[in-house]
Amino acid sequence: MKISDVIQMALHNLWSRKLRTILNLVGVVVSCVILMMTLAGTRGVRTGLMSIINSSDEAKRFMIYPGFDKSKEPPAEAIQVEGQMSEDRRQRLQKRLRRRWLNKNARRTGFTQEVIEELRAYEHVEHVAVHQPIRFVIKMGEKSFYGSLNGAVGNEPRMMQRVVAGQTLANNDSEGVLLSEYTAYDLGFRTDEQLRSLIGKEIELSLILGNNELSYLASLANRANRSNIDNAATTIKAFRKLVDELDSTQLSDSEKKIIRRVFKDVQGEKPTEKIVFRRRMKVHGIVVEDTRKDLFFFLRMFVRGGRTNVLVDHREFERMNQKITPEPRYWQLTAKVDDIGNLKQVVDKLEAEGYQTHSIGGIIERMDAEIRKARLAISVIALLILVIVAIGISNTMVIAVLERTPEFGIMKAVGAKSSNILWLIIFEGALTGMIGALVSCAISLGLSELIDDFVRKYVSSRLRNDYTAEMFLFSPLDLTIVFLIAILICALASLLPAFRAARLDPVVAMRRN
């Protein structure tokens, strides 16, 4: 028999038993549609989220923290874990024990200016900025209050978007500052017109230090009176009076001892104050707090590290720190890579050198892992459905072989070989799988078009960000795999009936009704 004869007979047999063929196809189509939509959907979701991440300036940013002294390592007995347990649990406990030992016995070494310059020279690193606010006295005219000063990269898109009056800071700007709109309001600039008139005005920044008692009391006073220095000074006097008259209170001796230890001071020493830094700078712009509730809100909150009253260029901020302290140490840096694809490489290199980092890289890895898990679970379900369908196909093929036994006997009697009968039955099963895969491909493409717009709008509303990527991305490789799986499983399901038909004796077969 020619191949064309086998194909023609297979098509004729499937067509002559329409109901049975349709029932077999329904199972194949359902399982293949689930498999195709799962593969295309998970790929589309991942590609869409990665496009959002790649387009976001926030995702390229990460935090760097100093590690422990590299010369200090805990002894073996300090991290020894006793008892029978799994190796995974033992390693987790040893990791915690090691960190506890380092916290007690090893100190962290802050970043020096030399280390920061080395980090800036890393490949794929665009910039590194100090993120360590300083408490300053902010003064304009007759109004003054305690506030925080920090560095910023003015030409970043995220900073430009926050400017509501004036302009952002130029790169390496040594004269300008950005004020928060809340600080401007405290200074008396209330209306929009007054806010615009603030641009170009001078603001005075002062750092005042005293002895230990004064510094501590000043921090407490600042918590109680954030907006006015005179009120803060009154609060400090109240604290001192409380300590002086401690014996007349009804507190216990141990409670009095604790308070005196907190506010300890040398007897007879008069607290002194010293202005260690004073600088007049011009207001270049007014910025608002970034409160967008999108995908990267959590990351911005972490990186921002609180509200800042005054922002200066990050390079100028470092120069200020060097004037205040000859060899300043920094404990938190923000950095940015040139491309999100290089984030993992840079972070891994930093962590290998002992630094600690916080970035979106770990979140991307966990997101990928969860998508892969969902993809695998649904794919397994679809394959199980296909296997069940294959069992059904095998049963119907067995019945078909029994019905067509006389036909096979006649075919053998006129010269057909057992191999011809074998391949005919196998081809019928494979043809069922191929037709089912083709139909499921058409249905999947149609379904994706119907639900893509709805799902995209829903995801955009949930992410609070425009989601323009396609929800379903059909890969030629995935479609090929689904086709081959459908054909292979249906062909395998036909093997048993095919062998049974091939072994029939033509004389015996023709005697059966």
Side-chain angles (χ1 to χ4, degrees), residues 8-42:
Q8 186 176 356
M9 290 184 67
L11 288 171
H12 173 75
N13 291 328
L14 291 175
W15 179 256
S16 61
R17 296 169 176 82
K18 299 183 186 66
L19 181 60
R20 190 176 295 167
T21 302
I22 290 172
L23 292 175
N24 288 335
L25 285 175
V26 167
V28 176
V29 168
V30 169
S31 56
C32 287
V33 166
I34 294 173
L35 192 55
M36 285 185 182
M37 296 294 282
T38 299
L39 297 176
T42 51

Side-chain angles (χ1 to χ4, degrees), residues 294-303 358-360 363:
D294 58 12
L295 182 64
F296 302 102
F297 173 71
F298 74 95
L299 192 62
R300 281 197 302 276
M301 289 298 293
F302 187 87
V303 170
H358 180 90
S359 71
I360 200 173
I363 299 170

Side-chain angles (χ1 to χ4, degrees), residues 331-344:
W331 303 96
Q332 185 171 299
L333 306 176
T334 63
K336 180 184 174 184
V337 293
D338 53 6
D339 187 83
I340 188 67
N342 299 319
L343 179 61
K344 183 174 177 12

Side-chain angles (χ1 to χ4, degrees), residues 112-131:
T112 62
Q113 194 62 42
E114 290 75 16
V115 171
I116 293 175
E117 295 303 327
E118 290 176 5
L119 295 177
R120 284 175 176 151
Y122 272 34
E123 187 179 7
H124 303 304
V125 173
E126 277 194 0
H127 68 248
V128 177
V130 174
H131 187 79

Side-chain angles (χ1 to χ4, degrees), residues 393-394 397-398 400-401 408 412 417-429 490-504:
I393 292 173
S394 181
M397 284 291 187
V398 169
V401 167
F408 296 143
K412 281 196 170 186
K417 298 178 181 178
S418 296
S419 60
N420 297 139
I421 306 296
L422 178 71
W423 284 112
L424 175 62
I425 303 300
I426 292 175
F427 187 77
E428 285 185 19
C490 291
L492 290 175
S494 305
L495 277 178
L496 182 61
F499 279 120
R500 182 168 182 170
R503 289 198 302 267
L504 286 173

Side-chain angles (χ1 to χ4, degrees), residues 19 22 39 100 208 222 239 242 256 292 300 321 401 436:
L19 181 60
I22 290 172
L39 297 176
R100 186 174 68 181
I208 303 174
N222 184 43
F239 278 129
L242 172 64
K256 293 175 183 178
R292 289 174 296 160
R300 281 197 302 276
N321 276 279
V401 167

